[in-house]
Amino acid sequence: MRPFTYERATDVAAAARAAGSVQGARFIAGGTNLLDLMKLQIETPTHLIDVNHLGLDRIERTDDGGLRIGALVRNTDLAADKAVRRDYAVLSRALLAGASGQLRNKATTGGNLLQRTRCPYFYDTRMPCNKRKAGSGCGAMQGMSRSLAILGVSDACIAQHPSDMAVAMRLLDAQVDTMSADGVARAIPIADFHLLPGDTPHKETALKAGEIITSVTLPKPIGGTHVYRKVRDRASYAFALVSVAAVFDKDGSARFAFGGIGAKPWRTPTADAAAKQGAKAVAEAALSGARTTHHNDFKKLLVERTLTSLYRQREARA
Amino acid sequence: MKFDTPAGPNPIDRGRVIGIPHDRIDGAAKVTGSAPYAYERHDAAPNAAYGWMVGSAIAKGRIAAMDLRAAEAAPGVLGIVTHANAGKLGKGSMNTAPLLGGPQVDHYEQAVALVIADTFENARDAAKLVRIDYAAADGRFDLAADQARGVNPGKDADTAAGDFDGGFAKAAVKIDQRYTTPDHSHAMMEPHATTAAWNGDKLTLWTSNQMIAWGVGEVAKTLGIPKDNVRLVSPYIGGGFGSKLFVRADAILAALGAKQVGRPVKVAIARHQIPNNTTHRPATIQRIRIGANKDGVIDAIGHEVWSGDLPGGGPETAAQQTRLLYRGPNRMTAHRLVTLDLPEGNAMRAPGEAVGLLALEIAMDELAEACNVDPVELRIRNDVQYDPEAGPQRPFSSRKLVECLRTGADHFGWAKRDPKPGQVRDGRWMVGMGVAAAFRNNLVQKSGARIGVDAKGRIIVETDMTDIGTGSYTIVAQTAAEMLGVTLEQVTVRLGDSRFPVSAGSGGQWGANSATAGVYAAAMALRAKLAEQAGYPADQALFEDGLVKLANKSQTLASLAGRDGLWAEDSMDYGDLDKRYAQATFGAHFCEVGVDIDTAEVRVRRMGGAFAAGRILNPKSARSQVIGAMTMGVGAALMEALDVDTRFGFFVNHDMAEYMVPVHADIPQQDVLFIDELDDKSSPMKAKGVGELGICGAGAAVANAIYNATGLRLRDYPLTIDKLLKAQAA
C-alpha cells in the first residue's frame, strides 16, 4: 500500500471538486474491494476522499414512481428494504447472492458498481495484465481462464465483471446519477455505465475524473416474477460461474440479464425477444458473439442449463 | 519407559477423566484473544520490527541483479536481507528448496529478500521497491505431460506379493482406470509466522510450528549455529495440516533479519504468498487395477501413482493404503516421481491415504457395480485381518472395518439406497448415496514429558508437544489427571517450548496417542516418587481425589510434594510391536448428495461415518477432528484445486477468494460414531490416531454418491460443474 493522504468529505460538490483537482485521488466508501487492491498495489491512489459522511444513504420514491437509492446505501440495507423486496425482488435476491454478511454490511451501492474483476492475473502484479498495466499483455487468455468472461471480451482482455447487484440493476434499466468535478449532475443509463474492454481494458466505466456516483435510480416497478439464479463452485461466498437475473410476465414474455459471463453485466434485447421460445432460444440469443477458451467454454452450456432450470421452476409454480 | 509388550490393565482404564467429552481447556484463552500467537508476542518482544518477504517473480532461473537503493531509502526501512548479505546458509534436511533463494531461483514466490521496517505498512510498501532482474530458465510444470519421465524414488516406493500380472490377467472381473487429483493448499487459518530475537548468540523464535525438536535442528542447521543456541516457542498454532511440520521461510528470514537490524523482527507470510512460497499436497495421477471373481472377491490388486516435486523432493505415497486395506494374494504398488519446478510438495493432512483413497474407493465402487454386489458388502467380503503383503504372521493389532461398515450403514439408512444410478428425484435434485472405507496408518513416535506436583497439590505438565487446534492441551491434562487422581481443573499444561522434553509433536495423526503415552510414562515415574515419599509400595498405592491412598491410610498430594514440589520426567519409547502387528485406523464414510438436474450443482445433503481408532481420549475433540476432516474431504471432492499455469510455472489461484474450500453452507449434518475399541498394542493409552482418519475416503464417498445420483462416473478431482456437464454431454 502506497502512502496516501486522506480527507473526509462533507458535501458532494466539494468531494467531486477535490477528486477532480488532486491527481490520483479516489473515493472510498465501504472499501471492501479498494483496500484489498491497495494492499497489493494494484490500486495506488495518492489521496483518498472518504465519502461515507455525505448523507447519500437514503432510499426514496421518485416522482414518477421509481426508486432512488443513495450511493452509500449498504448492500445489506438495500437487500432488506421493503420497497426493494416488494417491487424489485430480483435486486434483493442478487444482493443476497453476493459476498458475505460482513462484506454486505460495508459494501455500498455505488462501490458495488465499481468493483473490479476477479481475474487472477489481474491480482498478481508480476503477471501481464492489460487491465492493470496497459500494454503489458494478457496472462489469462492462454492461461487459466475458467472463471473469465465469454461475452464482450477483446483481444486485450477477457476479465469478467464480478458483481451480482449490477446484473439486477442492468435488468431493471437503472440509471447511475453522478456529479462531476465542475458541479454538473448527469444520469448515465446503466447500459452505458460499464465499458467493454476493447483496446483499453483499464478504462472500465463512463465516469470522468472526479465524477462521483450520488445515487442509482430505478424506473417504476415492472411487476412480474423476479428471480436471480447464481451458479458457482460452492454454495455461498463465491463469484458466479454463471448467474441469471430474470423477470417473467404472466404472458410468457420476460427479460434477462447475465453475470459471470460478460466483461460487463450482460443483457441483449434479442434474448428478451426469445423469451416465449424457451430456454434454449434465449441462451442462443444471449450467447451470440460468445468467444470462449478451452477452460471456460462450459459456460455456454451452463447458461442454457441455468435458464432451463428457471423455466422449469416457473412451470412448476404455474 | 519402553512399550514393547501389549498393555495390560493400567490406571488409564479407570476412565474417570480419559474417554469423557471435555471442552478444551485452552478454549477460554482462545476466544478471549488472550492466547498469543506467533505474530502477537508483544509480551516477549515488544520492540519487534516488521519484515515483509519478497518472493520470486519467476519459477526457475537466476537473479541477474538486485537494486535495493530505492527500498533502502524508503521511509522507516531498517534493513534488507538477501542472499548477498545473509552469509552462508545451510539447508535443512526437511525442506527441498532453500528457504532464502538467490542467486539461483528454484520456484515461484521462493523468498529472495526480506525488507525490515519500523512498521508493517512501511515494510510492505518498501518491498515493492526492491528491483530484481531475473534471467529466467525453462522449467517443467506439467505432471501429465511429463508422466513418462517418472522415476522410482527409492525406499519403499514399490511393493509386490504373489503374481499380480498373472492374477489380474485371469480375473473374471477387471477394473483398470486412471484417476487424478490436483495440487492442494493447506489453507490453515493462521499464516506461517515468526517473531525472532537474538540475545548474544542465542536465538529465540516464537513461531507457529508443529514439530518443535525438528524445528530446532533445522534452524540450527540452516543458520550454522549450535542447537543449544536455538529456542523455539510455539504454544498456540492456528492450524497446520502439515504445512508447519517443517521450518519455513518466515522463521529463517525473521532470524536473519533480527540479526541484521539488531532488534527483534517478526515475519508473517502473506496469504497470497502462501500457496506458492510454502508447501502443498502434490497432484497425483493414479492407475488402479483390480481383478476379482464374479462375487467381487479380490484376487489381484495393483495401484500405481505418479506425482511431481522439485529436484531432491519426494513422492506422494498415495498407494500406501492399497498395501493393507483389502485382501488378495496377488498385489503390487508403485510410486513414480517426476521432477517438476513447481513449488515444493510435501505433507498435507493424511499424506498418501487422503488422495490414494479418493481413487481406490471409486475403483471399489466400480468393482461393486461390475460384480453387482452392494458396495458395503463388497468391502466386507474383501476384509483381511492381517497385512496382506506380509501374510497371516503379521496380524492387525486391531481392525474393525467391518463393524464400521455395518454400524455406519445402519445408522445412515444405507438399505434405502437404490443401487441403480439416477433413480431418485427430490424436486430439482437427483439424489444418490455413496460409501467409502476410511483407512489411515497408526504411527507411534517416542515422546517425553515432565510432570510435577507443586506445594498446593496442583499438577503441572511440560512437554514440547504442540496443539494445532486439535485439542492436545486437553488430552494431556486428562491423562495427567487420570494418572494422578485429580480433576482436570487441577492440571496446568505447558506446551510447545523447546525447553520442555521432546515429544512426538503433531503430525501423521501420531500426536494424540504418542504424546499422551509420554505423559503416561512421566506420570508413572511421578507416582513412584509420590508413593515412595508416602512410604507406600508403588504398586499398591491408589491415586484418587487428590490423595495417595493405601488401604485406609491416605496423604494429600500437596503434603507429599512439599514446599519445593516433586517432579519426574520420562518418555515413552517403542519396541517392535508396530513391526509385529500392522497398526492402522479404520472407518466407513456415508454420504448423500443432490445434483441439480439442469446445472449439475452438487450439494452434500448428509454425511455419516463410523470410526474405529482405539480408545477415544476425548470424544468431543475427536469428533471435531473427524467432522473437520470430513469437511476437507468434501473440499477435495468438489472444489479444492490449485490451478497450475504451465507457462509461468505457478499456482494461479493463490488466495482464499479463488482457492475454494467449503463454507458453512456446503456442509450439512455430519454424524460421527466411534466404535468401541482398545488397542493394547499401540500404547498404554490403548489409543490410536484419529486426526487424519476422517479425511481418508470422505471425498470418494461424495464421488460415489454423485455416481449413484446421476450415473456420471468422474475420475478427475475436483468434481466440478464443468466436468459434470461435459460428462453428461458425452
Side-chain angles (χ1 to χ4, degrees):
Chain A
M1 185 181 286
R2 300 285 304 150
F4 55 87
T5 52
Y6 169 90
E7 70 174 286
R8 181 178 288 183
T10 49
D11 72 83
V12 175
R17 210 163 39 241
S21 61
V22 183
Q23 187 76 27
R26 293 291 307 266
F27 300 115
I28 185 162
T32 55
N33 192 204
L34 181 61
L35 285 176
D36 283 350
L37 295 170
M38 287 169 64
K39 289 174 188 173
L40 295 165
Q41 293 197 16
I42 294 164
E43 296 263 15
T44 52
T46 57
H47 183 65
L48 285 186
I49 301 163
D50 182 344
V51 297
N52 282 297
H53 301 271
L54 294 182
L56 302 173
D57 53 0
R58 279 190 299 278
I59 301 173
E60 52 204 5
R61 281 266 162 231
T62 60
D63 294 342
D64 62 355
L67 205 62
R68 185 178 300 113
I69 301 157
L72 292 168
V73 173
R74 308 287 155 173
N75 286 176
T76 298
D77 297 331
L78 184 56
D81 182 82
K82 251 188 195 162
V84 172
R85 284 164 55 91
R86 186 185 57 229
D87 298 332
Y88 307 97
V90 64
L91 177 58
S92 185
R93 291 182 177 133
L95 281 160
L96 294 175
S100 65
Q102 293 92 331
L103 286 166
R104 293 194 296 267
N105 287 341
K106 287 295 285 178
T108 63
T109 306
N112 191 313
L113 290 175
L114 298 174
Q115 70 176 299
R116 306 197 68 190
T117 184
R118 302 304 306 191
C119 175
Y121 295 87
F122 174 75
Y123 264 82
D124 190 327
T125 52
R126 290 159 293 189
M127 289 292 131
C129 173
N130 289 321
K131 184 184 278 299
R132 177 168 32 76
K133 191 176 176 193
S136 63
C138 174
M141 223 167 279
Q142 308 295 326
M144 303 306 295
S145 54
R146 181 172 172 273
S147 63
L148 301 183
I150 60 174
L151 287 164
V153 299
S154 72
D155 287 341
C157 184
I158 59 171
Q160 88 284 39
H161 195 274
S163 173
D164 293 298
M165 183 199 82
V167 176
M169 294 288 198
R170 179 75 183 86
L171 185 80
L172 295 168
D173 289 328
Q175 70 179 30
V176 183
D177 308 312
T178 70
M179 182 175 281
S180 53
D182 52 11
V184 175
R186 66 167 172 153
I188 308 168
I190 193 160
D192 303 331
F193 182 79
H194 295 104
L195 306 180
L196 290 178
D199 297 334
T200 54
H202 56 288
K203 291 185 185 160
E204 294 177 352
T205 70
L207 292 176
K208 293 176 293 196
E211 191 170 8
I212 184 172
I213 300 174
T214 53
S215 58
V216 177
T217 302
L218 302 178
K220 64 175 195 258
I222 55 172
T225 305
H226 290 220
V227 291
Y228 189 78
R229 181 71 186 278
K230 181 176 181 181
V231 181
R232 44 187 155 173
D233 282 320
R234 61 185 169 196
S236 179
Y237 198 45
F239 293 93
L241 294 169
V242 165
S243 70
V244 180
V247 175
F248 288 96
D249 285 333
K250 282 210 178 74
D251 68 357
S253 65
R255 56 167 89 180
F256 303 94
F258 301 87
I261 56 172
K264 57 188 257 184
W266 202 255
R267 189 158 173 222
T268 51
T270 49
D272 296 359
K276 288 183 179 172
Q277 297 163 56
K280 208 177 167 76
V282 174
E284 207 166 292
L287 292 167
S288 162
R291 200 168 118 181
T292 61
T293 67
H294 171 65
H295 291 117
N296 66 18
D297 60 355
F298 74 96
K299 287 191 174 188
K300 286 166 64 171
L301 182 55
L302 189 54
V303 167
E304 185 192 316
R305 294 302 190 81
T306 308
L307 284 161
T308 305
S309 183
L310 291 186
Y311 272 86
R312 195 194 294 275
Q313 279 169 275
R314 186 177 147 67
E315 279 158 27
R317 270 195 297 266
Chain B
M1 187 175 253
K2 183 114 180 173
F3 184 71
D4 50 11
T5 55
N10 67 39
I12 292 296
D13 292 329
R14 286 196 294 194
R16 292 181 188 175
V17 196
I18 284 285
I20 310 295
H22 292 286
D23 290 344
R24 48 187 77 208
I25 60 172
D26 49 330
K30 283 183 171 167
V31 298
T32 56
S34 53
Y37 287 79
Y39 201 72
E40 311 171 319
R41 295 310 299 260
H42 322 296
D43 58 326
N47 60 334
Y50 296 79
W52 183 268
M53 183 188 84
V54 178
S56 168
I58 61 166
K60 189 177 166 73
R62 292 181 68 78
I63 293 173
M66 291 181 100
D67 181 351
L68 307 181
R69 286 171 299 182
E72 280 167 345
V77 171
L78 303 170
I80 301 176
V81 176
T82 71
H83 72 277
N85 63 21
K88 188 173 158 43
L89 295 177
K91 195 181 79 57
S93 50
M94 294 172 186
N95 54 291
T96 307
L99 297 173
L100 174 61
Q104 180 179 311
V105 171
D106 305 284
H107 64 85
Y108 195 77
E109 202 82 77
Q110 184 180 24
V112 291
L114 181 78
V115 178
I116 305 143
D118 55 347
T119 67
F120 173 80
E121 290 77 11
N122 278 340
R124 184 175 60 185
D125 193 31
K128 278 274 181 190
L129 299 172
V130 172
R131 295 277 162 263
I132 305 175
D133 292 333
Y134 295 96
D138 290 339
R140 291 178 176 272
F141 310 111
D142 189 339
L143 176 65
D146 276 349
Q147 184 181 355
R149 288 197 304 113
V151 299
N152 182 329
K155 196 170 171 288
D156 302 330
D158 293 5
T159 59
D163 169 16
F164 172 77
D165 288 334
F168 185 71
K170 61 174 196 286
V173 181
K174 293 190 182 79
I175 300 295
D176 182 357
Q177 292 292 350
R178 177 184 186 271
Y179 307 84
T180 63
T181 64
D183 298 283
H184 289 151
S185 190
H186 303 82
M188 67 286 154
M189 212 183 291
E190 182 202 21
H192 301 73
T194 301
T195 302
W198 291 87
N199 183 1
D201 56 5
K202 305 274 191 194
L203 171 66
T204 303
L205 298 172
W206 295 270
T207 189
S208 186
N209 190 292
Q210 300 173 221
M211 301 292 298
I212 300 301
W214 289 5
V216 167
E218 294 284 280
V219 169
K221 197 171 172 194
T222 308
L223 299 178
I225 60 176
K227 272 203 228 181
D228 288 347
N229 288 359
V230 179
R231 182 179 170 206
L232 248 63
V233 188
S234 194
Y236 298 104
I237 298 165
F241 304 125
S243 75
K244 296 170 181 170
L245 283 170
F246 318 110
V247 168
R248 298 301 309 172
D250 55 303
I252 299 303
L253 292 175
L256 292 169
K259 182 130 229 169
Q260 187 183 103
V261 302
R263 68 187 256 201
V265 166
K266 58 180 181 178
V267 178
I269 300 177
R271 181 63 68 187
H272 67 272
Q273 298 174 322
I274 288 175
N276 286 290
N277 174 261
T278 71
T279 62
H280 65 278
R281 188 204 301 280
T284 64
I285 298 169
Q286 305 182 42
R287 182 188 187 193
I288 295 177
R289 283 174 289 173
I290 308 177
N293 71 16
K294 59 179 178 33
D295 298 322
V297 177
I298 297 174
D299 186 54
I301 184 162
H303 194 162
E304 296 157 86
V305 180
W306 291 260
S307 62
D309 204 355
L310 287 166
E316 178 69 26
T317 54
Q320 221 160 237
Q321 71 290 320
T322 309
R323 295 168 179 175
L324 290 163
L325 186 49
Y326 296 119
R327 75 173 301 281
N330 304 303
R331 342 179 42 93
M332 64 84 66
T333 67
H335 295 94
R336 292 295 173 266
L337 181 61
V338 179
T339 301
L340 296 177
D341 298 298
L342 288 171
E344 176 173 340
N346 216 314
M348 179 168 149
R349 199 175 199 173
E353 283 97 326
V355 288
L357 283 162
L358 284 176
L360 178 63
E361 288 300 285
I362 293 184
M364 288 297 283
D365 208 54
E366 299 189 67
L367 178 64
E369 186 175 46
C371 299
N372 198 22
V373 177
D374 176 82
V376 171
E377 173 60 23
L378 179 85
R379 288 166 172 87
I380 292 169
R381 279 183 198 174
N382 285 293
D383 186 52
V384 56
Q385 290 292 318
Y386 54 85
D387 171 349
E389 286 186 346
Q393 65 275 20
R394 187 173 185 245
F396 278 95
S397 58
S398 58
R399 173 174 166 128
K400 294 199 169 174
L401 173 62
V402 171
E403 291 85 339
C404 290
L405 285 161
R406 291 214 162 106
T407 310
D410 281 351
H411 278 256
F412 195 74
W414 179 256
K416 294 196 197 93
R417 172 182 178 266
D418 189 327
K420 199 169 167 213
Q423 302 302 303
V424 182
R425 275 280 292 276
D426 178 8
R428 65 182 172 103
W429 301 100
M430 298 180 275
V431 179
M433 291 190 208
V435 63
F439 172 95
R440 174 67 176 153
N441 254 328
N442 181 61
L443 302 171
V444 287
Q445 301 275 342
K446 183 180 176 180
S447 193
R450 181 190 298 146
I451 184 165
V453 192
D454 70 9
K456 291 178 179 156
R458 230 189 134 67
I459 308 296
I460 298 149
V461 188
E462 294 177 340
T463 161
D464 84 357
M465 179 61 188
T466 49
D467 188 324
I468 60 174
T470 41
S472 305
Y473 276 102
T474 311
I475 54 171
V476 164
Q478 286 174 261
T479 306
E482 192 74 82
M483 293 298 289
L484 293 161
V486 300
T487 65
L488 203 55
E489 292 70 30
Q490 286 168 280
V491 182
T492 298
V493 178
R494 298 179 186 137
L495 299 182
D497 189 324
S498 59
R499 289 182 175 172
F500 301 152
V502 174
S503 76
S506 299
Q509 82 168 7
W510 64 59
N513 178 43
S514 300
T516 54
V519 175
Y520 174 98
M524 287 303 275
L526 183 61
R527 284 164 61 111
K529 282 191 181 176
L530 285 162
E532 189 189 337
Q533 192 77 7
Y536 305 156
D539 57 349
Q540 290 170 38
L542 261 181
F543 290 75
E544 52 189 22
D545 308 326
L547 302 169
V548 186
K549 297 179 182 171
L550 184 72
N552 55 356
K553 296 182 291 183
S554 72
Q555 298 179 54
T556 65
L557 291 175
S559 67
L560 293 169
R563 218 176 47 197
D564 299 332
L566 206 55
W567 285 84
E569 180 176 334
D570 200 358
S571 60
M572 186 61 72
D573 207 352
Y574 293 86
D576 64 351
L577 283 172
D578 61 339
K579 306 279 179 305
R580 285 156 52 199
Y581 296 91
Q583 296 190 13
T585 58
F586 297 88
H589 288 283
F590 296 86
C591 176
E592 180 182 293
V593 302
V595 182
D596 188 287
I597 46 171
D598 296 310
T599 62
E601 293 160 284
V602 178
R603 295 286 180 270
V604 177
R605 294 156 64 104
R606 18 186 219 119
M607 298 183 86
F611 303 90
R615 188 196 302 277
I616 300 302
L617 303 172
N618 180 351
K620 190 168 187 181
S621 52
R623 178 180 177 275
S624 294
Q625 284 298 296
V626 172
I627 64 173
M630 286 162 81
T631 300
M632 255 171 144
V634 171
L638 297 180
M639 61 192 86
E640 285 193 53
L642 287 166
D643 299 327
V644 181
D645 185 314
T646 55
R647 303 161 307 159
F648 295 106
F650 77 122
F651 300 129
V652 179
N653 52 337
H654 51 65
D655 64 34
M656 295 297 291
E658 308 300 326
Y659 182 82
M660 297 274 154
V661 298
V663 295
H664 287 91
D666 291 300
I667 301 302
Q669 179 69 30
Q670 296 168 307
D671 293 316
V672 175
L673 291 167
F674 290 112
I675 304 292
D676 281 338
E677 183 179 80
L678 297 177
D679 192 324
D680 61 354
K681 294 155 195 95
S682 175
S683 85
M685 303 302 294
K686 303 172 189 171
K688 294 190 279 194
V690 75
E692 298 181 334
L693 179 60
I695 192 175
C696 299
V702 178
N704 293 337
I706 290 173
Y707 177 74
N708 183 241
T710 63
L712 300 175
R713 182 68 78 187
L714 267 59
R715 302 181 183 87
D716 298 302
Y717 289 98
L719 314 185
T720 45
I721 287 167
D722 45 337
K723 292 175 190 166
L724 285 160
L725 288 178
K726 263 174 201 164
Q728 214 171 40

